[in-house]
């Protein structure tokens, strides 16, 4: 997708007595693909339409949390911001793990129930590995992806392997 060049930030400073709320907010932001830039500063490249709608009609308190749109102005690059906010080494390791699961796809024909069970087990492992990788991946616009990002290649490989897997499954139905 195209990026408009604006970073969206959530800044908050919740006291220790509101630790549960702070933890819930952090979990929510992480699940939504936000990057953790500094303690209570979270960042994403996407417009905040859903967040604005959710906050509409609520009492404004600019002390915490506050949503902002911004551009860096002191020489920080977007690539430095991405590197500081997301752990792409971890994300790439998760895609590599998924690649190992893809490579372990049972190649034999699904000629009997045992082969079908083994294949189903592989499908479950593949799905878990894929979901683990994409859950951590913020799925950034192409212009923000760091060098060596493994997600695009992983997606292409997954499509290819799953197309073959689909053909295997169709054979099982025909032979039954």
């Amino acid at each position: 997708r195209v990026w408009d060049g604006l970073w969206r930030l959530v800044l908050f400073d919740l006291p220790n007595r509101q630790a549960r709320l702070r933890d819930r907010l952090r979990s929510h932001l992480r699940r939504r693909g936000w990057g953790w830039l500094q303690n209570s500063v979270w960042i994403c490249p996407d417009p905040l339409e859903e967040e604005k709608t959710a906050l509409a009609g609520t009492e404004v308190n600019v002390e915490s949390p506050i949503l902002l749109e911004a551009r860096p102005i002191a020489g920080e690059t977007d690539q430095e911001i991405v590197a500081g906010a997301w752990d792409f080494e971890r994300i790439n390791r998760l895609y590599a793990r998924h690649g190992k699961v893809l490579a372990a796809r049972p190649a034999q024909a699904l000629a009997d129930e045992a082969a079908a069970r083994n294949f189903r087990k592989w499908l479950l492992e593949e799905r878990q590995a894929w979901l683990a990788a994409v859950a951590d991946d913020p799925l950034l616009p192409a212009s923000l992806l760091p060098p060596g990002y493994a997600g695009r290649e992983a997606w292409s490989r997954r499509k290819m392997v799953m197309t073959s897997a689909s053909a295997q499954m169709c054979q099982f139905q025909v032979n039954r």
Side-chain angles (χ1 to χ4, degrees):
R1 63 189 184 278
V2 178
W3 183 47
D4 62 7
L6 287 175
W7 287 104
R8 280 60 179 201
L9 291 91
V10 171
L11 297 95
F12 57 91
D13 186 19
L14 297 170
N16 284 339
R17 69 179 185 279
Q18 291 183 302
R20 290 181 113 192
L21 177 59
R22 183 178 56 226
D23 291 343
R24 282 195 358 244
L25 180 56
R26 286 178 178 159
S27 291
H28 171 77
L29 293 169
R30 189 174 291 113
R31 277 192 313 276
R32 303 246 319 135
W34 286 66
W36 184 45
L37 197 57
Q38 299 173 5
N39 290 333
S40 295
V41 177
W42 290 73
I43 192 165
C44 84
D46 300 314
L48 303 179
E49 299 308 318
E50 191 174 313
E51 287 79 1
K52 283 192 271 186
T53 301
L55 293 173
T58 62
E59 184 179 326
V60 174
N61 177 359
V62 296
E63 292 181 18
S64 187
I66 187 169
L67 306 176
L68 300 171
E69 292 182 334
R71 285 192 172 96
I73 61 168
E76 308 88 345
T77 67
D78 293 324
Q79 291 73 28
E80 290 169 333
I81 291 170
V82 167
W86 291 278
D87 185 352
F88 275 93
E89 286 182 16
R90 174 179 162 69
I91 292 165
N92 283 344
R93 282 193 308 271
L94 290 167
Y95 282 123
R97 182 186 173 285
H98 174 261
K100 288 178 183 176
V101 173
L102 282 180
R105 176 176 63 94
Q108 74 271 19
L110 304 181
D112 56 33
E113 290 295 328
R117 274 193 304 277
N118 188 39
F119 192 79
R120 183 173 188 273
K121 180 182 175 212
W122 172 81
L123 283 170
L124 291 171
E125 290 173 12
E126 185 281 332
R127 183 173 187 267
Q128 290 172 340
W130 180 253
L131 291 176
V134 296
D136 270 23
D137 190 340
L139 305 172
L140 296 173
S143 62
L144 294 175
L145 293 173
Y149 169 67
R152 286 182 161 188
E153 183 180 322
W155 173 244
S156 294
R157 190 163 171 217
R158 184 178 195 242
K159 288 191 303 185
M160 185 179 68
V161 170
M162 295 311 272
T163 298
S164 297
S166 174
Q168 256 181 300
M169 288 185 284
C170 288
Q171 283 300 112
F172 180 69
Q173 291 175 344
V174 169
N175 294 334
R176 267 186 111 187

